[in-house]
Amino acid sequence: MKTVLVDSNVLIDVLTDDPKWGDWSAEQIERLGDDSVLALNPIIYAEVSVGFERIEELEDALPSNFFARLPLPWEAAFLAGKCFLEYRRSGGLRRSPLPDFYIGAHAAVSGLRLLTRDGKRYRSYFPRVVMVTPEVDGDE
């Protein structure tokens, strides 16, 4: 089975029933969950946790029997830092989320597919990562 790293923006869409993206995100999770392992890493977990008061509530929303927990590879940390540096040197804002670079790097070094709504940035810095995005509609 292939593993798909599920970006926090997709999870937040579903958990908040986002009026624009909620349906698309829920459909992708359901579709990909049929033949793939859906996974999170600590960065994604942390970003989603902001919407919850207690860890038990977050665990109920993201059950570990549905979303595998993956550790962050050290190689991903190095790649994320290098990509973030390239971003900054090309005029990117300091406040830009380094976590996105870490998520992309994790997918890149681990050979994971990435389910995200933010395909443009990820494609710019991680062109070899296979992504499921609204623009592609999951056909990659």
Side-chain angles (χ1 to χ4, degrees):
M1 277 188 130
K2 294 182 180 177
T3 300
V4 177
L5 195 59
V6 182
D7 199 359
S8 53
N9 57 30
V10 172
L11 295 168
I12 291 168
D13 290 345
V14 173
L15 294 170
T16 64
D17 197 20
D18 183 87
K20 182 174 181 181
W21 293 107
D23 288 342
W24 181 87
S25 294
E27 289 167 9
Q28 298 310 308
I29 288 173
E30 183 177 339
R31 182 179 67 81
L32 293 168
D34 286 342
D35 63 358
S36 303
V37 174
L38 301 176
L40 314 172
N41 67 28
I43 301 289
I44 295 165
Y45 191 89
E47 288 182 322
V48 175
S49 76
V50 173
F52 293 87
E53 292 293 321
R54 300 175 46 237
I55 194 168
E56 293 83 5
E57 294 168 356
L58 179 58
E59 284 294 318
D60 286 344
L62 302 175
S64 61
N65 63 337
F66 192 79
F67 294 100
R69 274 43 173 181
L70 301 179
L72 290 164
W74 288 100
E75 296 85 356
F78 184 82
L79 180 57
K82 294 304 174 196
C83 290
F84 184 71
L85 180 61
E86 179 182 335
Y87 168 81
R88 292 285 296 130
R89 286 182 176 159
S90 65
L93 301 174
R94 184 175 303 248
R95 63 178 177 74
S96 174
L98 180 58
D100 285 351
F101 288 98
Y102 214 144
I103 292 166
H106 185 183
V109 303
S110 298
L112 307 173
R113 289 186 294 166
L114 179 62
L115 172 59
T116 184
R117 282 193 291 101
D118 194 13
K120 184 177 179 182
R121 178 180 297 157
Y122 287 118
R123 278 191 188 90
S124 296
Y125 294 93
F126 309 101
R128 292 193 177 124
V129 172
V130 175
M131 284 178 254
V132 178
T133 66
E135 303 85 43
V136 177
D137 199 26
D139 291 332
E140 287 192 311

